[in-house]
Amino acid sequence: GAKLISDEFLRLPRIVGTERDPPGSRALLFASEHAFLPMAWIKEAIRGVEPNNLALFVSHGDEMEPEIKDGEMLFIDTGKEGRGPSEGRKLVRVYDEICVRRIIRANRDDFYATHHQMVAGMQGVRFSADRLGHDVDILGRITVALRAPPVFARQT
């Protein structure tokens, strides 16, 4: 997860995939690349999230346009609340693909994972909350999407 490297800077990991063994473990796999961000910016721009639960994901593809563009930096809340099946924009694993989806509640136990360009009449992938961690998993809630990296972010 994220790591405070000084009183002023936080090192955020980058989500690149998920481990599926054993099923249901919901372990995240992070890349070795990190972004270093000032804590002051995180406290101002990303409210209601524990800094050590933050991760970075770079979007790919255009399926969420105009909401989220290809190449945008997404700050993900990977804490327990962020990974829950509440409604909103989430980073989701559907089978082996990691993608951005809008989670919509169908009833008390079932949810849909849809995307912006889905054909009218299609509801998206329907899943049950008790199956999270198997064929479908919610990796976290999207807290902030930036079109370009802030000038103070760097890769190592």
Side-chain angles (χ1 to χ4, degrees):
K3 182 178 180 184
L4 191 63
I5 58 170
S6 74
D7 289 341
E8 296 181 15
F9 286 91
L10 184 72
R11 183 181 72 192
L12 292 181
R14 182 176 169 207
I15 297 175
V16 294
T18 60
E19 296 177 354
R20 298 178 65 193
D21 185 26
S25 68
R26 300 178 65 157
L28 299 178
L29 178 66
F30 296 100
S32 58
E33 300 91 9
H34 295 87
F36 293 85
L37 300 173
M39 281 298 294
W41 183 83
I42 290 172
K43 287 178 181 176
E44 180 65 29
I46 306 174
R47 299 177 190 270
V49 178
E50 288 292 322
N52 60 344
N53 287 337
L54 284 173
L56 189 65
F57 179 78
V58 178
S59 68
H60 53 275
D62 61 357
E63 67 182 21
M64 287 298 291
E65 287 187 2
E67 254 184 274
I68 295 174
K69 305 264 187 221
D70 183 38
E72 279 191 287
M73 293 176 60
L74 306 178
F75 292 86
I76 309 297
D77 173 8
T78 64
K80 184 177 180 181
E81 297 267 330
R83 292 192 328 262
S86 58
E87 292 193 349
R89 292 185 309 174
K90 305 280 183 126
L91 188 64
V92 175
R93 177 186 55 78
V94 179
Y95 301 107
D96 292 325
E97 179 186 3
I98 294 181
C99 48
V100 174
R101 293 289 184 264
R102 182 171 301 282
I103 301 299
I104 299 169
R105 183 181 295 271
N107 57 43
R108 195 177 73 116
D109 299 318
D110 296 325
F111 301 83
Y112 289 103
T114 67
H115 60 82
H116 183 72
Q117 295 185 5
M118 187 164 282
V119 178
M122 292 186 67
Q123 306 246 344
V125 176
R126 186 174 179 147
F127 65 95
S128 176
D130 65 357
R131 295 291 299 158
L132 285 176
H134 298 278
D135 293 337
V136 175
D137 202 5
I138 297 172
L139 304 179
R141 175 178 63 91
I142 298 170
T143 60
V144 174
L146 296 178
R147 191 165 275 164
V151 294
F152 45 77
R154 69 174 198 241
Q155 298 279 322
T156 62

